[in-house]
Amino acid sequence: MRVPIIAGNWKMYKTVGEAVNFVRELAGRVAGVSGVETVVCPPFTALAAVAAELSKQGAGIVSGAQNMYWENEGAYTGEIAPGMLKEVGCRYVILGHSERRRYFGETDAAVNKKVHAALAHDLIPIVCVGERLEERESGTTEDVVRGQVEGALAGLTARQAAGLVVAYEPVWAIGTGRTASATDAQQVNGFIRKLLVDLFGETAAGAVRIQYGGSVKPGNTAELMAQPDIDGALVGGAGLKADSFAGIITNAVGAGSGVGRL
Ligand code: PGA
C-alpha cells in the first residue's frame, strides 16, 4: 500500500507567525480529506510552533525539516542534529535537495550519512535526486539519477529502504514554472523504481514512495499523480499559499492508479 504523500518545502520563507497562521488555515481547508499524507517543512525556526499548532488542529498533517547534520551533537556551528528535529516534533526530513547540493556543496556521500543518521533517529528521509538541464540535454539523466540514488542509499537494508520517500526533482523544473510532462516524470520515477528493485528487491522497492517535484500546482497534480510510479509531490512555490497547497492535496486524492494505492 503506497499512501500518496504531498510535502510542502517552504525553503527560506515564513516567519513563525506566518507559519502558524498558514497551518491553521491549511488545516481548515483540508479537514476531512483522507487517503493522502500531508507534510509541511518550514524553516528550523518555525518547526516547534508549527508542530504545536498541528497537534492542536488534529487534521493529521505532520511536519518535517529541510535539512540536518548527521552527528548527534558537537562543535558544528550553525548545524542542527537529528535528535533536535525529533524533539520539535518532526517526522520527516528533506535530504539532498538540489539547492543544498548547488549552494552548499552537498555531495551524495554527505546525503548518505544524513540518510543513515535520520533513520537511526526514526526520522523518515525524503531523499531528493534529479538532473540539471545540461545533463538532460546531453542524455545523461538516468546515469545522473542512478549515481545519486546509489550514493544516497548506500549501505541501507531492504527494510530501511522500504520506509523511504524519494523525490525526483529535475533541477530545470524547480521554481521555473516548467513542469516535466507527466510522461517524462513517470519515465524517471519508473527508472528509479527499477533501480530500487535491483538494490533492495521487489517488496522493498514496491513500498518506497517516489514523489515528483518541480513546478507542481493544483492544475497539474491529478495528471502527475495518475502515473503508476508517482506517489506524491514535493512542492515549493505552490506550497506557500494555503489555497494552492490545499488544491494540490485535494487533487491528489483518488487520482492515483498505482498498484495497491489507497
Ligand atoms: P517548486 O519547488 O515547486 O517551486 O518548483 C520544488 C522544490 O524545490 O522542492
Side-chain angles (χ1 to χ4, degrees), residues 49-73:
V50 161
E53 184 63 30
L54 287 175
S55 63
K56 201 160 95 188
Q57 295 292 332
I61 303 168
V62 297
S63 58
Q66 300 172 21
N67 179 34
M68 58 165 225
Y69 195 52
W70 59 77
E71 295 288 352
N72 290 342
E73 60 181 9

Side-chain angles (χ1 to χ4, degrees), residues 168-252:
Y168 167 56
E169 297 202 304
V171 178
W172 48 269
I174 294 177
T176 58
R178 200 178 147 192
T179 324
S181 69
T183 315
D184 285 347
Q186 164 57 29
Q187 198 177 355
V188 181
N189 277 40
F191 170 75
I192 293 171
R193 180 94 56 207
K194 283 202 206 85
L195 199 54
L196 294 172
V197 171
D198 293 344
L199 293 169
F200 302 108
E202 289 274 356
T203 309
V208 175
R209 289 176 296 173
I210 309 177
Q211 297 174 312
Y212 165 79
S215 299
V216 174
K217 12 183 207 283
N220 58 25
T221 302
E223 194 192 357
L224 286 161
M225 297 287 296
Q227 304 301 314
D229 291 299
I230 300 182
D231 308 312
L234 184 55
V235 185
L240 292 170
K241 294 228 166 66
D243 58 349
S244 56
F245 195 52
I248 290 170
I249 294 161
T250 48
N251 289 349

Side-chain angles (χ1 to χ4, degrees), residues 96-126:
H97 189 278
S98 63
E99 287 150 17
R100 299 291 321 164
R101 296 174 188 262
R102 175 169 174 203
Y103 301 123
F104 305 100
E106 229 167 77
T107 61
D108 291 326
V111 177
N112 182 241
K113 286 188 189 172
K114 293 182 180 195
V115 168
H116 281 274
L119 291 169
H121 286 84
D122 204 23
L123 287 159
I124 303 172
I126 299 176

